[in-house]
Amino acid sequence: MLSDVMEDYLKATYVLQREGGPPVRTSDLAEYLGVTPPTVTSMLEKLADRELVEREKYKGVELSDEGETVALEILRHHRLLESYLAEHLDYDWSEVHEEADALEHHISEAFERRVANALGEPRVDPHGDPIPTEELAPLADDDTAALADIEEGETVTVARVSDRDDEHLAYLAERGIEPGAELDVVTVAPIDMVTVHVEGDEIHLPTAIAASIRVERETRATA
Amino acid sequence: MLSDVMEDYLKATYVLQREGGPPVRTSDLAEYLGVTPPTVTSMLEKLADRELVEREKYKGVELSDEGETVALEILRHHRLLESYLAEHLDYDWSEVHEEADALEHHISEAFERRVANALGEPRVDPHGDPIPTEELAPLADDDTAALADIEEGETVTVARVSDRDDEHLAYLAERGIEPGAELDVVTVAPIDMVTVHVEGDEIHLPTAIAASIRVERETRATA
DNA sequence: ACTAAGTTTTAGACGCGTCTAATGCGGGGT
DNA sequence: ACCCCGCATTAGACGCGTCTAAAACTTAGT
Ligand SMILES: [Mn+2]
Ligand SMILES: [Mn+2]
Ligand SMILES: [Mn+2]
Ligand SMILES: [Mn+2]
């Protein structure tokens, strides 16, 4: 009953709302989705009519519970697909995103279930992002920090890497910076640069990239 | 560059052309695709403009070489997906068709390759239909006969079952009539019915169903 | 050769998702 | 308080894939 495109707007709104908080603005969605602002406005009207978002004109939009559920459903598809491609079809975790984006709107509930089952009901995808449960319960708040904000001398564990950019992902993959990796933060931003040690290697990361790596401070997650 | 819908028209044209020969008529496509004849006419014009079909007005349409290649590509996706779902995701061969139909337009060439590889480059799908090669070479002509046309007393091997109808498929699956099964044809059409023995069981098949089961007479294929 | 039946095409419309150009709103700096 | 500027919305258009209703063609039967 919802088009692919509507599902993408809802997913985008969810992601942006999670990182910037509501309301999500027209221009942010336009940029995220690669579309012009008037296009977003008209879609947002449609979504508001269907009560998938609450819209305040000129302010932006916030997902309704129903809209959030749709977003979680698509996110579950996306992340399950990424996990499956990586685990069973030999994809590298840096090339998995695009394929999942194309498929996420077209799989049945049966497919979702069987893939989840084949994977053993995973909780996180290859980038470290949480996979919504089958019941689509709201996700826990994110309590990680950006690598760019860590102090020199700290040791942290990589929790997530942004799946938004293939190039960055490939760059990090080559250097062993992936969810679960331990990082010693050596220097921060002598000039727009973070230097870390990982597995004995010294790696230099532009701040733009370091900002998209989320880390945990204590090793509390090694349960 | 081609829309999903165009791909579906090309695939449908291929299938109909294979079973009825060219030209494929507007109304046949309309019925096959569940769409009205004017809709087909307008799509066929578009396809002819792009030289994917040769069209003779009021007569019908025949695939160009390029159109056939597209059709084979989609058919390859479809049948590879069906095979993969059956083999690796625990689908029954009677429920595989719909999922493949939804996914066939959205997988990448990389996905196609990895799935083919995981399956060991299969030649036929779970319904016994041939899978086009990666190079999309034209398929060999079909030399099977319809079960409905077999004489009483013959023993035949099931080559293919039509994947068009879930209900029929489930019916046949339950009774062990699947590609590779040996059938003794006991009686033909006492009144619209074919009776066969398979694995010791006696099965009665309405002619409508028997017409959609393709069989081989000699056991020559047991190479 | 004519006509009726059936099929195909033309004509005109609609909803969707998108765009560009023009207009409208609203908050921050003087 | 006012003005500007940036952002958002409105207005109007377009291509796609679909439809219904009307017209045109084909063909088979007399
Ligand atoms: Mn998507
Ligand atoms: Mn991911
Ligand atoms: Mn299809
Ligand atoms: Mn099949």
Side-chain angles (χ1 to χ4, degrees):
Chain A
M1 220 53 335
L2 259 7
S3 69
D4 300 4
V5 174
M6 288 190 221
E7 291 180 350
D8 276 337
Y9 276 80
L10 261 7
K11 183 179 67 157
T13 304
Y14 184 84
V15 169
L16 292 172
Q17 185 170 305
R18 216 173 147 71
E19 58 190 42
V24 175
R25 281 153 45 241
T26 300
S27 50
D28 292 340
L29 281 164
E31 192 198 343
Y32 189 90
L33 292 166
V35 111
T36 60
T39 301
V40 173
T41 297
S42 96
M43 186 69 241
L44 255 21
E45 276 168 10
K46 224 170 310 183
L47 261 13
D49 285 350
R50 300 209 189 198
E51 304 191 28
L52 293 160
V53 301
E54 267 142 51
R55 181 162 102 103
E56 196 173 346
K57 249 184 163 178
Y58 292 100
K59 289 291 165 49
V61 99
E62 175 171 0
L63 288 173
S64 69
D65 286 355
E66 196 190 338
E68 179 174 335
T69 299
V70 173
L72 287 167
E73 167 81 5
I74 303 305
L75 234 26
R76 176 166 165 86
H77 290 181
H78 184 95
R79 292 177 181 169
L80 242 15
L81 282 163
E82 287 189 340
S83 304
Y84 191 87
L85 296 173
E87 181 86 15
H88 289 283
L89 284 172
D90 229 28
Y91 278 72
D92 197 280
W93 58 276
S94 63
E95 47 176 21
V96 115
H97 181 78
E98 225 185 337
E99 194 86 49
D101 241 16
L103 261 20
E104 65 192 3
H105 311 286
H106 305 287
I107 67 173
S108 69
E109 288 307 286
F111 187 95
E112 177 195 313
R113 242 178 290 112
R114 298 196 211 219
V115 163
N117 189 256
L119 290 165
E121 316 290 342
R123 314 284 264 264
V124 297
D125 80 3
H127 309 99
D129 289 310
I131 300 177
T133 61
E134 187 164 7
E135 299 75 33
L136 306 176
L139 296 179
D141 284 343
D142 177 18
D143 63 347
T144 58
L147 175 57
D149 297 338
I150 298 298
E151 308 284 313
E152 295 183 7
E154 281 195 75
T155 294
V156 295
T157 303
V158 175
R160 300 185 283 119
V161 294
S162 164
D163 63 1
R164 231 113 114 194
D165 185 323
D166 271 15
E167 304 238 337
H168 292 188
L169 247 23
Y171 180 93
L172 297 178
E174 263 171 43
R175 290 162 178 74
I177 299 185
E178 58 185 55
E182 287 234 331
L183 264 34
D184 298 322
V185 180
V186 180
T187 58
V188 175
I191 268 216
D192 228 36
M193 194 72 111
V194 176
T195 303
V196 300
H197 284 167
V198 53
E199 303 276 333
D201 293 332
E202 177 162 303
I203 310 287
H204 302 283
L205 265 9
T207 312
I209 294 189
S212 71
I213 300 173
R214 310 291 307 190
V215 299
E216 271 167 5
R217 284 174 150 111
E218 286 97 349
T219 341
R220 109 196 67 155
T222 321
Chain B
M1 221 52 335
L2 259 7
S3 70
D4 300 4
V5 174
M6 289 190 217
E7 291 180 349
D8 275 336
Y9 276 80
L10 261 7
K11 183 178 68 157
T13 304
Y14 183 85
V15 169
L16 292 172
Q17 184 170 305
R18 217 173 147 70
E19 59 190 42
V24 175
R25 281 155 45 243
T26 300
S27 50
D28 292 339
L29 282 164
E31 192 198 342
Y32 189 90
L33 293 165
V35 110
T36 60
T39 301
V40 173
T41 297
S42 96
M43 186 70 242
L44 255 21
E45 277 168 10
K46 224 172 309 183
L47 261 14
D49 284 351
R50 300 210 190 197
E51 304 191 30
L52 293 161
V53 300
E54 267 141 49
R55 180 161 103 103
E56 196 173 347
K57 248 184 166 180
Y58 292 100
K59 289 293 166 46
V61 98
E62 176 172 0
L63 288 173
S64 69
D65 286 355
E66 196 189 339
E68 180 174 334
T69 299
V70 173
L72 287 167
E73 167 81 6
I74 303 304
L75 234 26
R76 176 168 165 84
H77 290 182
H78 184 95
R79 293 176 180 168
L80 242 17
L81 282 162
E82 287 189 339
S83 304
Y84 191 86
L85 295 174
E87 182 86 15
H88 290 283
L89 284 172
D90 228 28
Y91 278 72
D92 196 280
W93 57 277
S94 64
E95 46 176 23
V96 116
H97 180 78
E98 223 183 338
E99 194 86 49
D101 242 16
L103 261 21
E104 65 191 3
H105 311 287
H106 305 288
I107 66 174
S108 69
E109 289 307 287
F111 187 95
E112 177 196 312
R113 241 178 291 112
R114 298 197 213 218
V115 163
N117 190 256
L119 290 164
E121 315 289 341
R123 314 285 264 264
V124 296
D125 81 2
H127 308 100
D129 289 309
I131 300 177
T133 61
E134 188 164 6
E135 299 74 34
L136 306 177
L139 295 180
D141 284 343
D142 177 18
D143 62 348
T144 59
L147 176 58
D149 297 337
I150 300 299
E151 307 286 312
E152 297 183 6
E154 281 194 76
T155 295
V156 296
T157 304
V158 175
R160 300 185 283 118
V161 294
S162 163
D163 63 1
R164 232 113 112 195
D165 186 323
D166 270 17
E167 304 238 337
H168 292 188
L169 248 23
Y171 180 93
L172 297 177
E174 264 171 43
R175 289 161 179 76
I177 299 184
E178 56 186 56
E182 286 232 331
L183 264 33
D184 298 322
V185 179
V186 180
T187 59
V188 175
I191 269 217
D192 228 37
M193 193 70 113
V194 175
T195 304
V196 300
H197 284 168
V198 52
E199 303 276 334
D201 293 332
E202 178 163 301
I203 310 287
H204 303 282
L205 266 7
T207 312
I209 293 188
S212 71
I213 301 174
R214 309 293 307 191
V215 299
E216 273 168 3
R217 285 173 149 112
E218 285 97 349
T219 342
R220 109 196 65 152
T222 321

